[in-house]
Amino acid sequence: MTARQTRLRPGVMALCTAAGLSLALTGCGGGDAAKPSAATTAASSAPAASASPADPDAATKAAVLASYTSMWVEQMKAYRVASPDGTKLDDFATLDALSAFERDLATMKRNNTRVTGGVGHDAEVAELDMAAKIPTATVEDCIDLSKWKAERTTGEPIPLPTAQPLRYIATATVERWDDNRWMVTAYKPDGNQTC
């Protein structure tokens, strides 16, 4: 493991939808990460026979997306209780990838907020470099906040800021480590790029 691949320590992982949602941190919440991405759903429901040749990297891309999706599943567990306790986030992402989430979760704790709604995803592998010294993939995800709900621990709902786009692009860098595990090493939401 290199210095830039620092793994998260349990209890230090923080989670929220990062910079694009930093505006909403007084009501920070999360989503339905357990829901498969549209790319995953489309791949699993595609007919077995196809007129176009099969993607030779399909299995690798599926592994990348599985790791990315698992990161979100673990993040949502933390969002719902405003705590990283009991999550396995460090199995799928590095501390570097989640530094903004870490700040957001600290804000959630400070403001006594949690998530009750969901975050939709439409993720796909945009780039794949298996020839690199550390094989790397770039995931582009259309984050959908239409079902996002946040509340104070008292139950008082907290709406998203009016300037917050309901759908925006986020990009993740995912690397294959020595143990054949794909790890999310960087995550960057872009609230200015809608989808």
Side-chain angles (χ1 to χ4, degrees):
M1 198 179 318
T2 67
R4 68 179 198 161
Q5 296 172 322
T6 307
R7 292 192 61 196
L8 280 175
R9 297 181 318 272
V12 189
M13 306 166 290
L15 318 166
C16 205
T17 59
L21 293 178
S22 292
L23 299 172
L25 283 181
T26 56
C28 187
D32 192 4
K35 184 166 97 176
S37 71
T40 306
T41 303
S44 63
S45 62
S50 174
S52 62
D55 181 354
D57 296 319
T60 302
K61 289 178 180 178
V64 168
L65 291 174
S67 184
Y68 177 79
T69 300
S70 295
M71 176 192 75
W72 271 100
V73 167
E74 295 303 312
Q75 286 181 18
M76 294 317 302
K77 289 177 186 176
Y79 292 170
R80 300 215 184 286
V81 295
S83 171
D85 296 343
T87 68
K88 296 179 183 175
L89 193 54
D90 58 343
D91 289 347
F92 307 104
T94 66
L95 185 58
D96 292 341
L98 298 170
S99 60
F101 294 128
E102 198 170 84
R103 288 187 303 272
D104 292 346
L105 188 56
T107 301
M108 289 176 67
K109 287 181 183 182
R110 204 170 36 253
N111 293 325
N112 295 313
T113 61
R114 63 182 172 218
V115 171
T116 59
V119 174
H121 297 277
D122 187 5
E124 65 180 26
V125 177
E127 294 178 30
L128 184 62
D129 185 356
M130 296 302 293
K133 183 175 181 180
I134 298 174
T136 305
T138 301
V139 173
E140 287 186 1
D141 190 1
C142 179
I143 304 292
D144 182 355
L145 300 180
S146 61
K147 295 183 181 173
W148 175 272
K149 292 180 184 161
E151 67 180 22
R152 299 203 183 282
T153 52
T154 60
E156 175 189 354
I158 304 169
L160 283 171
T162 54
Q164 174 67 50
L166 290 182
R167 294 172 59 91
Y168 62 90
I169 297 290
T171 305
T173 301
V174 188
E175 295 179 351
R176 190 177 73 189
W177 286 10
D178 291 338
D179 57 2
N180 258 351
R181 223 173 7 143
W182 286 95
M183 294 288 289
V184 178
T185 59
Y187 177 80
K188 183 181 179 198
D190 185 351
N192 295 321
Q193 189 177 356
T194 58
C195 52

